[in-house]
Amino acid sequence: MSEPILSTQGLTREFRGFVAVNGVDLQVMPGNIHALIGPNGAGKTTCFNLLTKFLAPTRGTIHFKGRDITGMKPADVARLGLVRSFQISAVFAHLTALENVRVALQRGRGASFDFWRSEEVLHNLDQRARELIEDVGLSEFVNTPAVQLSYGRKRALEIATTLALDPEMMLLDEPTAGMTHEDVERIVALIRRIRAGRTILMVEHNLSVVEGLCDAITVLTRGRVLAEGDYATVSRHPEVIEAYLGSEHV
Amino acid sequence: MFSLGFTRPQLIALAVMVAVIAIAPMAVYPVFMMKIMCFALFACAFNLLIGYVGLLSFGHAAYFGMGCYLSAYAAKHWGFPAEICVLLGGIVAAAMGAVFGAIAIKRQGIYFSMITLALAQFTYFLCTQMAFTGGEDGIQNVPRPFLLGFLSLSNDMAIYWMVAVVFLVGFLAIFRIIHSPFGQVLKAIRENEPRAISLGYRVDDYKLLAFVLSTFIAGAAGGMKSLVFGIASLSDVTWQASGQIVLTNLLGGMGTVFGPVVGAVIINTLEFYLSPFGSWVTITQGLIFVACVMVFRRGVIGELGARFKVAL
């Protein structure tokens, strides 16, 4: 068996005595779609924030591609190829869809400190940006400001922006939360398409999405890992059923 | 080359602005026009931060005032030519901006503003104490230096053209900055800072560069002002001066290209024509501020732009 691309050892985060994430050992295998599930307040988003360095862990270590990233800054983790999305759709509201994606593509130029140059130098990225936008089914909204897009389309745009970085690993925080049924199907199909050559770790509430999509599942409750394995294993785990689905499902 | 980024309405507005600058001294007191241009450039520098990075610097007068002092001192005691005085004002303000900015951008939102205010008050205190500023007296009777070392600026119209050129160059430079690859990243930071970080941008570096650029331009604007009036005084480093530039932007329309200029015209015109009525200036400004917040929040240019669906 190969080495995990992302692993944590004893990852812990305390907020003034409240332990949000408690000694989590997580192992994500390369090429997998790995789901992080659990009831509200289980520490899933905190976990994401720790992994992408938006929060500093109280204890524990994080390794990405064999490298200890525990002490790194969030922007530098992103540069290593570990890129996250946010639970609340994170778009640049007053930029157009094209500009949203282009800001990410711009990273490929290295740092953009060239304040004396015209932004026209960015037009050579437009073609690639259009392709990415088309990929997520938004081609008719290329020049629409992101703020005017529907919620589902904002999420799609966010994924296109993330994909623009061509990250080795994507962390998706509830990619289908609050979506209509059609939107969910669109996003699931999209995730299926973009998984080639990538590893994805996602927080997801919608169990049917998890069942059809994910290779491995980690269940968190109260900051601890309750169970791990594929959907069949996890869904039969009595404690998971108790904690996650409620006792009436037993 | 610069004009390439302008949209059609912006080009028209630019043409109007240039025409006004060229014609106005025939009808209006040139020194008054120069004052407007100095404060308009200062307001544009401030707008670069508030409008395009989302940083509210509540102590921008510190950089403007320091530019005033340095330029006045260099003209009076070192006899430097005018362009070097202005440049020096900008450079010293930018150096100060680099240090203060590096401290302030460690914090976000209101905390950033409070730190910039505290550092500006600290600068004010230094200005009252240090020998080179002349304390309460300021630096007075600054002789108008020669441009490039040989062109006399003692005639108001001569220095008028210099101020007009510096203003336009500064204005176009800011326009270029906000329409550069760097400017795109700034706007992304303004819109959603965590997202910009998650895309791999070290946002603090971008904010700091924007801060330094803004303080440089603010300092140069101050440098011009002290050459025009022949005086640098404490009033240019007060928090009231910082507050006034916030008001100027709010009134004209922050985040618009021409808003700060229009704001500066309105504020300075009020001050000029209401000055015989003493404290009525402040009261009128206060009322306008209230009206602005309640009725036209986007400012004059912002509302105009929204009305006609164009970006000005």
Side-chain angles (χ1 to χ4, degrees):
Chain A
M1 202 161 168
S2 59
E3 288 286 301
I5 184 167
L6 180 77
S7 65
T8 67
Q9 298 78 33
L11 195 62
T12 302
R13 170 71 198 201
E14 295 169 3
F15 295 101
R16 297 183 184 229
F18 171 72
V19 188
V21 173
N22 191 355
V24 168
D25 298 313
L26 188 69
Q27 296 204 322
V28 183
M29 290 302 168
N32 268 4
I33 298 184
H34 194 123
L36 201 56
I37 65 171
N40 283 332
K44 305 179 298 289
T45 296
T46 307
C47 219
F48 258 43
N49 284 333
L50 291 171
L51 292 174
T52 47
K53 312 309 304 161
F54 276 74
L55 275 176
T58 313
R59 274 185 300 283
T61 54
I62 307 164
H63 285 81
F64 178 62
K65 291 195 284 183
R67 221 168 130 173
D68 189 341
I69 61 164
T70 316
M72 284 177 90
K73 289 208 166 79
D76 297 330
V77 171
R79 286 164 183 229
L80 278 182
L82 177 62
V83 180
R84 68 172 296 178
S85 73
F86 292 81
Q87 193 168 2
I88 301 152
S89 72
V91 292
F92 303 117
H94 294 94
L95 304 186
T96 64
L98 183 83
E99 286 171 327
N100 264 271
V101 175
R102 208 173 57 188
V103 164
L105 288 172
Q106 217 179 311
R107 277 275 304 109
R109 315 168 67 229
S112 285
F113 291 123
D114 41 354
F115 60 83
W116 56 89
R117 214 170 266 145
S118 163
E119 63 190 346
E120 280 169 35
V121 299
L122 299 176
H123 288 333
N124 60 12
L125 302 172
D126 288 358
Q127 184 54 34
R128 178 81 192 108
R130 284 207 178 83
E131 286 166 19
L132 285 158
I133 291 169
E134 201 180 314
D135 244 14
V136 299
L138 293 178
S139 20
E140 55 190 301
F141 302 104
V142 167
N143 292 315
T144 310
V147 67
Q148 291 172 15
L149 296 175
S150 72
Y151 181 75
R153 291 192 173 116
K154 277 193 190 121
R155 300 306 307 243
L157 177 60
E158 196 190 341
I159 291 179
T161 308
T162 308
L163 280 174
L165 295 177
D166 196 18
E168 259 187 272
M169 180 159 183
M170 288 169 76
L171 271 60
L172 306 176
D173 199 351
E174 301 199 31
T176 66
M179 282 192 179
T180 62
H181 191 62
E182 299 89 78
D183 279 340
V184 170
E185 276 176 11
R186 186 136 45 92
I187 293 290
V188 169
L190 179 62
I191 293 172
R192 247 188 252 283
R193 253 187 305 136
I194 62 175
R195 68 172 301 179
R198 277 181 239 284
T199 311
I200 295 172
L201 175 66
M202 58 195 273
V203 168
E204 185 52 67
H205 269 306
N206 189 329
L207 283 186
S208 63
V209 170
V210 172
E211 181 180 12
L213 199 59
C214 300
D215 309 297
I217 297 166
T218 299
V219 188
L220 284 183
T221 47
R222 297 192 192 94
R224 287 178 174 282
V225 175
L226 186 64
E228 259 180 319
D230 59 13
Y231 187 80
T233 318
V234 168
S235 61
R236 275 197 300 270
H237 198 292
E239 278 182 78
V240 173
I241 298 167
E242 165 102 27
Y244 194 67
L245 301 172
S247 48
E248 70 269 24
H249 284 79
V250 178
Chain B
M1 192 183 121
F2 268 133
S3 60
L4 282 176
F6 284 100
T7 61
R8 251 186 89 81
Q10 284 172 335
L11 269 181
I12 295 168
L14 182 68
V16 170
M17 190 172 82
V18 172
V20 168
I21 291 173
I23 295 166
M26 294 180 209
V28 191
Y29 183 39
V31 173
F32 171 60
M33 278 299 293
M34 287 190 272
K35 187 182 177 196
I36 290 180
M37 283 192 275
C38 291
F39 277 104
L41 187 57
F42 179 24
C44 288
F46 177 84
N47 185 38
L48 175 62
L49 290 181
I50 184 79
Y52 296 95
V53 204
L55 292 174
L56 172 57
S57 163
F58 209 89
H60 238 48
Y63 314 103
F64 180 78
M66 208 38 96
C68 284
Y69 277 123
L70 252 298
S71 166
Y73 194 88
K76 189 172 179 181
H77 297 288
W78 297 332
F80 281 6
E83 71 285 356
I84 303 289
C85 291
V86 172
L87 210 57
L88 198 65
I91 290 169
V92 171
M96 215 169 84
V99 177
F100 287 2
I103 299 170
I105 55 175
K106 299 269 178 239
R107 292 288 173 269
Q108 271 87 27
I110 185 83
Y111 303 103
F112 169 87
S113 304
M114 296 313 283
I115 293 172
T116 53
L117 173 61
L119 291 170
Q121 288 303 92
F122 170 69
T123 308
Y124 174 80
F125 174 73
L126 285 183
C127 289
T128 61
Q129 302 296 318
M130 282 190 299
F132 102 97
T133 60
E136 296 282 341
D137 298 333
I139 305 175
Q140 297 183 15
N141 300 321
V142 180
R144 288 236 180 111
F146 288 81
L147 181 62
L148 302 170
F150 65 93
L151 286 167
S152 168
L153 295 176
S154 53
N155 182 314
D156 277 347
M157 277 319 288
I159 196 169
Y160 183 86
W161 298 119
M162 185 194 100
V163 171
V165 167
V166 174
F167 166 73
L168 282 173
V169 168
F171 179 84
L172 292 175
I174 291 172
F175 186 82
R176 170 47 59 92
I177 292 168
I178 58 186
H179 292 93
S180 69
F182 174 67
Q184 277 293 319
V185 179
L186 292 186
K187 284 175 219 164
I189 294 171
R190 174 192 68 189
E191 294 294 320
N192 195 329
E193 186 172 338
R195 183 54 172 160
I197 295 172
S198 82
L199 293 179
Y201 286 107
R202 294 176 180 140
V203 297
D204 283 358
D205 298 352
Y206 288 85
K207 286 182 184 175
L208 184 58
L209 179 54
F211 202 86
V212 171
L213 290 169
S214 168
T215 52
F216 175 81
I217 295 166
M224 284 200 300
K225 193 204 158 212
S226 61
L227 295 189
V228 170
F229 288 93
I231 185 171
S233 69
L234 280 176
S235 65
D236 290 321
V237 278
T238 55
W239 65 265
Q240 287 92 336
S242 295
Q244 177 136 333
I245 219 64
V246 179
L247 178 60
T248 304
N249 268 272
L250 203 72
L251 196 56
M254 45 182 71
T256 64
V257 177
F258 292 93
V261 180
V262 172
V265 171
I266 298 173
I267 291 281
N268 285 287
T269 306
L270 280 175
E271 217 167 63
F272 190 69
Y273 290 102
L274 289 179
S275 59
F277 304 101
S279 57
W280 282 100
V281 180
T282 338
I283 293 171
T284 315
Q285 281 183 354
L287 288 174
I288 290 177
F289 180 73
V290 171
C292 180
V293 171
M294 293 185 72
V295 189
F296 57 109
R297 276 189 206 181
R298 282 177 283 214
V300 174
I301 291 297
E303 294 293 342
L304 272 179
R307 179 85 187 272
F308 297 106
K309 295 201 166 39
V310 288
L312 287 170

